[in-house]
Amino acid sequence: MSIYKEYLHEAVIAARTAGQYQKYRFASSLNIEMKGDKNLVTEVDKESERLIVEHLLSHFPDHDIVAEEGEYRQGGSSYRWVIDPVDGTTNYAHGYPWFCSSIGLELAGELVVGVIYNPVYDELFTATKGGGAYLNGSRLSVSTRAPLEHSLLGTGFPYDCATDPANNFANFIAFQKMARGIRRAGAAALDLAYVASGRLDGFWELKLKAWDVAAGVLMVREAGGTVTTFDGSSYDIFTDRIVASNGLIHNEMVAMLASVATSASVESKQTMATCSSQDNVNF
Ligand code: IPD
Ligand code: CA
Ligand code: CA
């Protein structure tokens, strides 16, 4: 039995409570605010976070909390909960039934518990460090599919993709040409849970936040998968570039991201050279 059982148990209750509420409010009329041009927050995000945080703090009042919608005590506890109350907010706000809650727990900076709950499918993904990953109680393992050419991948795009060139578009085109397919479903935590369960073979994204990935990263690792940054180096949840896979296609994914980055830098040098030669002519 996992030494993290007590934490897992309470995280599951918190995620199910929030999920029940999300299902109850789904497709009803909602107060929606804008956090940025494309980035929404609904009253359900806020209330879900309140339900989760209140439950966890009622059992673990000394623990620290990082969550998407609010500021909480950072009291220097070695336990830190990392929470996305609704991952897939755009989907939720549009009545598109693809969203979840994601709850991770770090102990001394190491991920030890992960819970991702999809209330629409009633699918509960759980993981504990050293104790494996599970879907509704059945042990998970990553897929055995390779090479990349035969793989189904997941990804997403940052909210500022219209204004920042680090927008993932070039990576998307390159992977779409090579892989069997790509899904942009709109909830990074579920993408990671899907890599853990073998439904996706790989996932990459940039500019994700710790709450998007905390639970899912542990899940992929505990299901036998690999998680790194884009250059293949070791990943922590505050790094903003992630590649997660079944391990078998990992090197191919990292190589693809490197080749896209190299072409982008050659192109931008050529553009700069062309611009400066045009400047000279005009001058
Ligand atoms: C978003 C989702 C989406 C990803 C975005 C995230 P939110 O989280 O995970 O799939 O592409 O970058 O910000 O805003 O729905 O919690
Ligand atoms: Ca999120
Ligand atoms: Ca969210």
Side-chain angles (χ1 to χ4, degrees):
M1 195 55 79
S2 166
I3 52 169
Y4 307 112
K5 188 177 157 235
E6 180 194 2
Y7 308 117
L8 176 67
H9 180 73
E10 300 309 334
V12 165
I13 293 175
R16 283 196 184 279
T17 305
Q20 246 173 15
Y21 171 70
Q22 289 158 14
K23 221 174 142 180
Y24 165 70
R25 292 296 313 272
F26 184 63
S28 65
S29 93
L30 296 173
N31 275 325
I32 301 178
E33 291 162 35
M34 304 300 296
K35 292 202 275 191
D37 278 354
K38 293 180 193 284
N39 194 357
L40 312 176
V41 57
T42 75
E43 58 186 301
V44 173
D45 295 71
K46 293 178 183 172
E47 179 60 10
S48 298
E49 184 164 306
R50 193 191 65 74
L51 290 167
I52 293 169
V53 169
E54 199 171 278
H55 182 81
L56 294 175
L57 286 181
S58 74
H59 289 269
F60 313 113
D62 300 336
H63 288 189
D64 288 349
I65 304 239
V66 174
E68 181 169 11
E69 312 303 343
E71 301 277 322
Y72 303 91
R73 205 185 74 108
Q74 299 296 318
S77 166
S78 47
Y79 290 90
R80 178 163 63 178
W81 294 93
V82 186
I83 301 162
D84 193 340
V86 179
D87 188 43
T89 294
T90 307
N91 289 342
Y92 193 90
H94 284 255
Y96 187 100
W98 190 252
F99 54 87
C100 65
S101 294
S102 174
I103 303 176
L105 176 65
E106 287 182 319
L107 172 55
E110 205 180 357
L111 292 165
V112 293
V113 172
V115 172
I116 294 171
Y117 183 53
N118 173 346
V120 176
Y121 283 20
D122 191 22
E123 286 194 330
L124 179 74
F125 298 88
T126 57
T128 52
K129 184 165 173 52
Y134 295 82
L135 166 53
N136 290 345
S138 299
R139 185 93 189 223
L140 292 179
S141 55
V142 292
S143 73
T144 53
R145 200 170 286 105
L148 181 57
E149 204 183 334
H150 296 167
S151 298
L152 185 63
L153 307 177
T155 192
F157 301 96
Y159 287 118
D160 62 0
C161 63
T163 50
D164 187 336
N167 52 27
N168 205 23
F169 296 165
N171 298 326
F172 184 86
I173 292 169
F175 278 121
Q176 179 65 42
K177 285 182 182 168
M178 171 66 89
R180 185 165 283 162
I182 303 180
R183 299 293 174 261
R184 194 293 189 240
L190 283 174
D191 290 332
L192 287 165
Y194 270 42
V195 173
S197 55
R199 293 167 174 174
L200 289 175
D201 307 302
F203 167 76
W204 86 95
E205 193 161 341
L206 45 94
K207 297 194 195 164
L208 289 174
K209 298 285 199 283
W211 46 74
D212 297 313
V213 296
V217 163
L218 181 66
M219 227 156 267
V220 172
R221 288 180 180 150
E222 287 297 324
T226 304
V227 184
T228 68
T229 64
F230 275 16
D231 63 7
S233 59
S234 73
Y235 177 82
D236 81 73
I237 59 171
F238 294 93
T239 313
D240 81 339
R241 280 162 167 70
I242 183 170
V243 190
S245 79
N246 62 9
L248 301 174
I249 60 165
H250 209 84
N251 289 344
E252 279 186 280
M253 289 188 74
V254 166
M256 177 67 87
L257 290 164
S259 99
V260 171
T262 307
S263 329
S265 110
V266 169
E267 256 173 50
S268 99
K269 276 185 194 142
Q270 281 168 347
T271 311
M272 275 161 63
T274 312
C275 290
S276 69
S277 71
Q278 280 171 353
D279 284 353
N280 290 340
V281 170
N282 292 339
F283 187 70

